[in-house]
Amino acid sequence: MTIDKNIDGTKLEILLEGRLDTATAPLLEAELKESLSGITELVFDFAKLEYISSAGLRILLASQKMMNKQGSMALKNVNEAIEEIFEITGFSDIVTIL
């Protein structure tokens, strides 16, 4: 998985490419811990994300909880397969999908 980030003032956009799973989730978790200070708007771009596992969902949930305290979080360009995972797990009720 590759992680590209774009910071514009207090907005952080993270583009994920590949698979967000048990092997790659710690990379994203470390990147977020390093990057979220002072951020009030977090956007994940899933245009190139192929798959998300429960480990990835855990990172999204932790990010949502953090952003509830300091701003907002949204997901964009979510493909049908990942959107179905969000529906089944109830994540579609927790996260904002643009």
Short mmCIF file of all heavy atoms in Angstrom, two decimals, residues 13-18 44-51 75-79 82:
data_model
loop_
_atom_site.label_atom_id
_atom_site.label_comp_id
_atom_site.label_asym_id
_atom_site.label_seq_id
_atom_site.Cartn_x
_atom_site.Cartn_y
_atom_site.Cartn_z
N GLU A 13 -5.49 15.60 3.37
CA GLU A 13 -6.08 14.60 2.49
C GLU A 13 -5.09 13.47 2.33
O GLU A 13 -3.91 13.70 2.04
CB GLU A 13 -6.42 15.20 1.12
CG GLU A 13 -7.17 14.24 0.25
CD GLU A 13 -7.81 14.89 -0.97
OE1 GLU A 13 -8.03 16.11 -0.95
OE2 GLU A 13 -8.07 14.16 -1.92
N ILE A 14 -5.58 12.25 2.53
CA ILE A 14 -4.74 11.06 2.43
C ILE A 14 -5.27 10.18 1.31
O ILE A 14 -6.43 9.74 1.37
CB ILE A 14 -4.69 10.30 3.76
CG1 ILE A 14 -4.04 11.17 4.83
CG2 ILE A 14 -3.95 8.98 3.59
CD1 ILE A 14 -3.88 10.52 6.17
N LEU A 15 -4.42 9.93 0.32
CA LEU A 15 -4.76 9.05 -0.79
C LEU A 15 -4.12 7.70 -0.53
O LEU A 15 -2.90 7.61 -0.37
CB LEU A 15 -4.25 9.63 -2.11
CG LEU A 15 -4.37 8.73 -3.34
CD1 LEU A 15 -5.84 8.49 -3.69
CD2 LEU A 15 -3.65 9.34 -4.52
N LEU A 16 -4.96 6.66 -0.46
CA LEU A 16 -4.46 5.31 -0.23
C LEU A 16 -4.52 4.52 -1.52
O LEU A 16 -5.52 4.59 -2.25
CB LEU A 16 -5.31 4.62 0.84
CG LEU A 16 -5.35 5.31 2.21
CD1 LEU A 16 -6.29 4.57 3.13
CD2 LEU A 16 -3.97 5.39 2.81
N GLU A 17 -3.46 3.76 -1.79
CA GLU A 17 -3.43 2.93 -2.99
C GLU A 17 -3.03 1.52 -2.60
O GLU A 17 -2.04 1.32 -1.90
CB GLU A 17 -2.42 3.50 -4.00
CG GLU A 17 -2.38 2.74 -5.30
CD GLU A 17 -1.48 3.39 -6.34
OE1 GLU A 17 -1.07 4.55 -6.15
OE2 GLU A 17 -1.20 2.73 -7.35
N GLY A 18 -3.81 0.54 -3.06
CA GLY A 18 -3.50 -0.86 -2.77
C GLY A 18 -4.48 -1.46 -1.79
O GLY A 18 -5.68 -1.27 -1.89
N PHE A 44 -10.04 11.04 3.50
CA PHE A 44 -9.39 9.88 2.91
C PHE A 44 -9.91 9.72 1.50
O PHE A 44 -11.11 9.70 1.28
CB PHE A 44 -9.73 8.59 3.69
CG PHE A 44 -9.04 8.47 5.01
CD1 PHE A 44 -9.69 8.82 6.17
CD2 PHE A 44 -7.74 7.99 5.10
CE1 PHE A 44 -9.07 8.69 7.41
CE2 PHE A 44 -7.11 7.87 6.32
CZ PHE A 44 -7.78 8.22 7.48
N ASP A 45 -9.00 9.62 0.53
CA ASP A 45 -9.36 9.38 -0.86
C ASP A 45 -9.10 7.91 -1.17
O ASP A 45 -7.96 7.46 -1.15
CB ASP A 45 -8.54 10.29 -1.79
CG ASP A 45 -9.00 10.23 -3.22
OD1 ASP A 45 -9.68 9.25 -3.62
OD2 ASP A 45 -8.68 11.17 -3.97
N PHE A 46 -10.18 7.18 -1.43
CA PHE A 46 -10.09 5.74 -1.67
C PHE A 46 -10.12 5.40 -3.15
O PHE A 46 -10.38 4.25 -3.52
CB PHE A 46 -11.25 5.02 -0.97
CG PHE A 46 -11.07 4.85 0.52
CD1 PHE A 46 -10.00 5.37 1.19
CD2 PHE A 46 -12.01 4.13 1.25
CE1 PHE A 46 -9.84 5.21 2.57
CE2 PHE A 46 -11.87 3.95 2.62
CZ PHE A 46 -10.78 4.48 3.28
N ALA A 47 -9.85 6.36 -4.04
CA ALA A 47 -9.93 6.12 -5.49
C ALA A 47 -9.08 4.93 -5.93
O ALA A 47 -9.46 4.20 -6.84
CB ALA A 47 -9.51 7.37 -6.26
N LYS A 48 -7.95 4.71 -5.27
CA LYS A 48 -7.04 3.64 -5.67
C LYS A 48 -6.94 2.53 -4.62
O LYS A 48 -6.06 1.68 -4.71
CB LYS A 48 -5.66 4.22 -5.97
CG LYS A 48 -5.68 5.19 -7.14
CD LYS A 48 -4.30 5.72 -7.43
CE LYS A 48 -4.34 6.68 -8.61
NZ LYS A 48 -3.01 7.22 -8.91
N LEU A 49 -7.85 2.57 -3.63
CA LEU A 49 -7.85 1.52 -2.61
C LEU A 49 -8.63 0.33 -3.13
O LEU A 49 -9.78 0.47 -3.55
CB LEU A 49 -8.45 2.04 -1.30
CG LEU A 49 -8.30 1.10 -0.11
CD1 LEU A 49 -6.84 0.98 0.31
CD2 LEU A 49 -9.14 1.57 1.06
N GLU A 50 -8.01 -0.84 -3.11
CA GLU A 50 -8.63 -2.05 -3.66
C GLU A 50 -9.38 -2.86 -2.60
O GLU A 50 -10.34 -3.56 -2.92
CB GLU A 50 -7.55 -2.94 -4.28
CG GLU A 50 -6.79 -2.27 -5.40
CD GLU A 50 -5.47 -2.98 -5.72
OE1 GLU A 50 -5.19 -4.03 -5.12
OE2 GLU A 50 -4.73 -2.46 -6.57
N TYR A 51 -8.92 -2.80 -1.35
CA TYR A 51 -9.45 -3.70 -0.33
C TYR A 51 -9.22 -3.09 1.04
O TYR A 51 -8.22 -2.41 1.28
CB TYR A 51 -8.72 -5.05 -0.41
CG TYR A 51 -9.03 -6.01 0.70
CD1 TYR A 51 -10.21 -6.75 0.70
CD2 TYR A 51 -8.16 -6.17 1.76
CE1 TYR A 51 -10.49 -7.64 1.72
CE2 TYR A 51 -8.43 -7.04 2.80
CZ TYR A 51 -9.60 -7.77 2.77
OH TYR A 51 -9.89 -8.64 3.79
N LEU A 75 -14.72 10.34 3.76
CA LEU A 75 -14.12 9.44 2.79
C LEU A 75 -14.68 9.79 1.43
O LEU A 75 -15.87 10.08 1.30
CB LEU A 75 -14.48 7.98 3.11
CG LEU A 75 -14.33 7.52 4.55
CD1 LEU A 75 -14.84 6.10 4.70
CD2 LEU A 75 -12.89 7.61 4.99
N LYS A 76 -13.82 9.76 0.40
CA LYS A 76 -14.32 10.02 -0.95
C LYS A 76 -13.80 8.96 -1.91
O LYS A 76 -12.83 8.27 -1.62
CB LYS A 76 -13.96 11.43 -1.42
CG LYS A 76 -12.50 11.68 -1.67
CD LYS A 76 -12.31 13.11 -2.15
CE LYS A 76 -10.87 13.37 -2.57
NZ LYS A 76 -10.67 14.72 -3.06
N ASN A 77 -14.47 8.87 -3.05
CA ASN A 77 -14.10 7.90 -4.10
C ASN A 77 -14.09 6.47 -3.58
O ASN A 77 -13.18 5.69 -3.89
CB ASN A 77 -12.75 8.27 -4.72
CG ASN A 77 -12.76 9.63 -5.37
OD1 ASN A 77 -13.72 9.99 -6.04
ND2 ASN A 77 -11.71 10.40 -5.18
N VAL A 78 -15.11 6.10 -2.81
CA VAL A 78 -15.22 4.76 -2.25
C VAL A 78 -15.84 3.86 -3.32
O VAL A 78 -16.93 4.14 -3.83
CB VAL A 78 -16.10 4.76 -0.98
CG1 VAL A 78 -16.26 3.36 -0.44
CG2 VAL A 78 -15.48 5.68 0.07
N ASN A 79 -15.14 2.77 -3.67
CA ASN A 79 -15.67 1.88 -4.70
C ASN A 79 -16.79 0.98 -4.14
O ASN A 79 -17.00 0.93 -2.93
CB ASN A 79 -14.56 1.06 -5.37
CG ASN A 79 -13.93 0.03 -4.44
OD1 ASN A 79 -14.60 -0.59 -3.61
ND2 ASN A 79 -12.63 -0.18 -4.58
N ILE A 82 -15.81 -1.76 -1.40
CA ILE A 82 -15.53 -1.21 -0.07
C ILE A 82 -16.81 -0.62 0.53
O ILE A 82 -17.06 -0.77 1.73
CB ILE A 82 -14.39 -0.18 -0.14
CG1 ILE A 82 -13.09 -0.93 -0.49
CG2 ILE A 82 -14.25 0.58 1.17
CD1 ILE A 82 -11.90 -0.05 -0.73
#
